[in-house]
Amino acid sequence: MPELQALIFDVDGTLAETERDGHRIAFNRSFAAANLDWDWSVERYGELLAVTGGKERIRFFWENYIPEFVPTLTEGISEKEWIAGLHKAKTKYYVQLLQEGGIGLRPGVRRLLTEARDAGIRLAIATTTTPDNVTTLLETALDPDSLGWFEIIAAGDIVPAKKPAPDIYDYVLQQMQLQPTQCLAFEDSEAGLASAQQAGLATIVTVNDYTRSQDFSGAALVLDHLGEPDLPFEVLQGNTASSYFDLALAQELFKAMHS
Ligand code: XBP
Ligand code: MG
């Protein structure tokens, strides 16, 4: 039977609730700074989250919500470069928001990461978002030295296809020289689960307001959050007698899957 070697974490929605009050606000600030009258409401942003990746999300919005829009392009700038410029500003606003300290980790995240680290379980990140966003979130919300906690932080455009494609998880597994059967993945969304599952990873899902009603069939366990000893999780799919997610529960799920 394989032994549990590594935990691989998604970032947005999984480590922290970054979308509604983080990424969404940063997109809107970048639109305002570019004199665009676009404003993504909480509800609209929920629709747009179906597309992973910020640049891809901007293009999707343009093509599907305002197809008549024509940007004022500086000479020699392509539409792709215009989107990339807008998105670069968005990243700047998002990093600023994190540095203001507005976004903390979800329940149980720090505890589980610390426990796994102390036990010699290898840790990694597999995310769609831009590398600067991940490093700033880890440094501001987890620990100034926490980048070193993760053997690999795989993010953004490092792979050709974003989630739900399996590429980012395949990349992490390849870099760590691990088989999917030696790891557990943590996700918050249907696209993230599809990505991890296609890479062959057993996956624990912690939902949030944007993803609660999505299809998580095939997940090893679906919870409202990882829980704490004084803040029990709610089990939304699957079975466990535990009330918070720790390494013992990770090992228990792992054994059940491989026995
Ligand atoms: C997260 C995303 C990201 C962020 C924005 O998906 O979809 O696109 O919303 O990040 P996941 P960028 O949690 O599944 O990785 O704007 O930096 O692309
Ligand atoms: Mg996510």
Side-chain angles (χ1 to χ4, degrees), residues 27-40 58 61-62 66 69-73 82-83 85-87 89:
F27 278 112
N28 285 335
R29 285 189 184 162
S30 73
F31 301 154
N35 287 320
L36 298 165
D37 64 351
W38 308 352
D39 185 64
W40 290 354
I58 291 169
F61 172 73
W62 177 359
I66 45 159
F69 171 72
V70 181
T72 316
L73 297 178
W82 181 80
I83 289 176
L86 193 56
H87 185 255

Side-chain angles (χ1 to χ4, degrees), residues 8-174:
I8 311 174
F9 290 84
D10 169 49
V11 174
D12 295 301
T14 300
L15 295 185
E17 300 273 19
T18 52
E19 294 292 3
R20 192 191 67 185
D21 301 327
H23 289 293
R24 185 182 70 89
I25 305 295
F27 278 112
N28 285 335
R29 285 189 184 162
S30 73
F31 301 154
N35 287 320
L36 298 165
D37 64 351
W38 308 352
D39 185 64
W40 290 354
S41 66
V42 170
E43 196 190 352
R44 170 153 298 176
Y45 194 65
E47 298 161 16
L48 296 170
L49 278 174
V51 177
T52 61
K55 294 188 284 288
E56 294 80 354
R57 193 168 297 144
I58 291 169
R59 182 172 284 282
F60 177 83
F61 172 73
W62 177 359
E63 287 175 354
N64 292 278
Y65 288 74
I66 45 159
E68 68 291 346
F69 171 72
V70 181
T72 316
L73 297 178
T74 319
E75 207 178 313
I77 295 283
S78 67
E79 282 180 359
K80 192 175 171 202
E81 287 164 334
W82 181 80
I83 289 176
L86 193 56
H87 185 255
K88 195 171 168 196
K90 178 258 164 179
T91 299
K92 182 188 78 181
Y93 290 117
Y94 180 72
V95 165
Q96 270 172 15
L97 268 169
L98 293 177
Q99 285 166 341
E100 286 160 17
I103 297 188
L105 299 174
R106 295 192 68 188
V109 169
R110 174 187 299 280
R111 178 184 48 71
L112 178 61
L113 287 172
T114 306
E115 190 192 2
R117 199 167 164 250
D118 291 346
I121 299 283
R122 298 163 69 186
L123 298 173
I125 297 277
T127 177
T128 294
T129 202
T130 304
D132 276 358
N133 299 348
V134 190
T135 51
T136 310
L137 179 74
L138 293 175
E139 285 170 348
T140 56
L142 182 56
D143 188 280
D145 295 324
S146 60
L147 299 189
W149 296 20
F150 298 89
E151 198 172 316
I152 172 154
I153 297 177
D157 298 320
I158 197 167
V159 288
K162 293 187 175 169
K163 298 174 187 177
D167 301 31
I168 197 78
Y169 280 103
D170 288 341
Y171 178 84
V172 167
L173 292 169
Q174 193 197 7

Side-chain angles (χ1 to χ4, degrees), residues 176-199:
M176 295 176 88
Q177 302 208 332
L178 285 170
Q179 297 300 316
T181 49
Q182 298 174 297
C183 312
L184 288 176
F186 293 80
E187 276 287 350
D188 71 302
S189 69
E190 192 174 337
L193 173 64
S195 171
Q197 276 188 312
Q198 289 181 83

